[in-house]
Amino acid sequence: MSEKKPLRLSVLDLAPIPQGATPRDAFHTSLALARQAEALGYERYWLAEHHNMTGIASAATSVLIGYLAANTTTLHLGSGGIMLPNHAPLVIAEQFGTLASLYPGRIDLGLGRAPGSDQRTMMALRRHLSSIHADTFPDDVQELINWFDADEDAQPPVQPVPGLGMKIPVWLLGSSLYSAQLSAQLGLPFAFASHFAPDQLFQALHLYREKFQPSARLDKPYAMVCINVVAADSERDARFLFTSQQQQFINLRRGKPGPLPAPVENMDNLWSPSEQYGVQQALSMSLVGDIDKVRHGLAGLMRETQADEIMVNGQIFDTEARLRSFAIAMEAARSL
């Protein structure tokens, strides 16, 4: 009988800015969480790129990765993800080449196709000065891989310094079938964002595995599923903490993103029935409760998805409660 493999658990961090806090506070909280993740044995720790959102402090994603890497020792850090339409591939290759040079063997480059912002913000990022442009994402991903996988003797006319030939791990992230198909075609690991867009999770995993073509980077499919986990010592406490993320989603859907709200005892007066339905649908891949609830949920998720790795997001207002939630999640995973 083969030995059961332990569940690989990782962290997704949006560096949330709670009401009354500053981005600097968010960075310090991220560092506390990264150090705890390292101590507890989390597989990796990713940061997400968002722009023009006053409740998320991880816009300069590669800079924040460097800050956390400099203040941890062994933790595997990366992007979940860099939104490639916002950037010239050369700049990303240079940034992650620099990170991988400073912290060898510890850096991932997760790439997303969405802008992570609105149209006006996209224009402010100067990636595309015209509102009409071709989808260059597949070519941009391939360009990055060509640089990272170049032979040591390669001398392309344009090269990232550092970055050329550095074999930096590249992941594709997605919430639809597009990135599932592209990562299968390119032979790359794939991460699905079911923490906010769960509808096509199983279809995307099936497509990725069915269409996967082995590459020099990966010989068989490797799929990661991202979910929300809000854990506490009691289910009542966990549901109370979860109301911060529910409120954040309401505000986002109303076009009024802002700092992460404080939790409330009752959501009934804060959302309409249609808003409640929409938020609950978007956040349906969430484990909210005590350690037994989280353990049961993780076991079910692994059974249903056969994921190689689970990534955990948790938008929790109070720092100590957030740290406690991620500690409970790891304790639950280890007991499976």
Side-chain angles (χ1 to χ4, degrees):
M1 183 179 292
S2 62
E3 185 178 349
K4 186 179 179 181
K5 292 182 179 180
L7 169 56
R8 293 180 175 179
L9 207 61
S10 295
V11 175
L12 176 66
D13 182 10
L14 276 61
I17 307 171
Q19 286 176 342
T22 66
R24 180 182 176 89
D25 297 328
F27 299 147
H28 289 167
T29 298
S30 288
L31 179 56
L33 182 57
R35 284 173 167 165
Q36 175 180 276
E38 181 174 76
L40 291 176
Y42 273 89
E43 189 77 14
R44 67 190 83 243
Y45 190 110
W46 282 2
L47 294 139
E49 177 188 350
H50 293 276
H51 298 280
N52 196 29
M53 293 190 180
T54 55
I56 295 175
S58 53
T61 315
S62 59
V63 178
L64 190 50
I65 290 171
Y67 167 65
L68 300 184
N71 289 282
T72 52
T73 305
T74 59
L75 185 63
H76 212 93
L77 290 139
S79 58
I82 290 291
M83 299 296 105
L84 198 53
N86 297 336
H87 309 279
L90 179 63
V91 173
I92 297 305
E94 291 169 341
Q95 289 177 359
F96 278 77
T98 299
L99 287 167
S101 297
L102 290 168
Y103 312 105
R106 296 179 58 197
I107 303 298
D108 292 328
L109 174 55
L111 298 170
R113 177 172 170 254
S117 57
D118 54 64
Q119 289 291 326
R120 184 176 296 177
T121 306
M122 283 181 65
M123 294 296 291
L125 287 163
R126 301 271 194 246
R127 179 67 171 109
H128 297 291
L129 296 179
S130 169
S131 60
I132 302 175
H133 58 270
D135 178 12
T136 62
F137 184 72
D139 293 336
D140 290 348
V141 172
Q142 189 63 65
E143 188 171 28
L144 283 166
I145 292 172
N146 290 345
W147 278 325
F148 293 150
D149 289 355
D151 295 333
E152 58 182 27
D153 297 329
Q155 293 184 329
V158 176
Q159 60 180 278
V161 182
L164 191 71
M166 291 192 68
K167 315 296 184 188
I168 296 169
V170 173
W171 293 65
L172 292 192
L173 285 54
S175 58
S176 67
L177 305 183
Y178 180 97
S179 289
Q181 189 159 340
L182 184 59
S183 36
Q185 177 185 327
L186 297 177
L188 296 175
F190 173 59
F192 192 87
S194 45
H195 62 297
F196 73 88
D199 290 352
Q200 293 185 300
L201 168 63
F202 293 99
Q203 192 177 353
L205 291 176
H206 175 75
L207 180 65
Y208 170 63
R209 289 164 176 152
E210 182 181 53
K211 301 293 186 181
F212 183 84
Q213 299 177 26
S215 69
R217 286 179 157 256
L218 194 64
D219 61 357
K220 61 182 180 179
Y222 191 98
M224 178 158 62
V225 173
C226 186
I227 63 169
N228 303 295
V229 172
V230 177
D233 293 325
S234 73
E235 185 157 344
R236 182 185 181 281
D237 288 347
R239 295 200 172 279
F240 173 69
L241 295 173
F242 189 51
T243 62
S244 291
Q245 191 162 355
Q246 290 173 319
Q247 292 176 79
Q248 186 180 52
F249 262 69
I250 295 172
N251 294 337
L252 188 62
R253 289 176 172 227
R254 290 174 178 172
K256 298 177 180 178
L260 184 66
V264 295
E265 290 290 346
N266 194 322
M267 289 288 297
D268 290 345
N269 295 327
L270 299 179
W271 54 15
S272 68
S274 62
E275 286 176 329
Q276 179 180 2
Y277 175 82
V279 170
Q280 289 178 340
Q281 176 67 19
L283 299 179
S284 61
M285 296 294 285
S286 300
L287 301 179
V288 182
D290 59 12
I291 187 169
D292 290 334
K293 178 80 174 286
V294 174
R295 182 189 299 114
H296 179 76
L298 288 174
L301 184 67
M302 289 297 294
R303 186 170 57 251
E304 292 167 6
T305 66
Q306 296 295 305
D308 298 287
E309 195 170 326
I310 302 295
M311 182 161 271
V312 174
N313 176 54
Q315 300 290 88
I316 298 172
F317 183 82
D318 179 75
T319 298
E320 291 306 315
R322 190 165 184 239
L323 293 172
R324 176 66 180 145
S325 178
F326 279 92
I328 292 172
M330 179 55 80
E331 187 178 350
R334 283 182 169 165
S335 64
L336 289 175

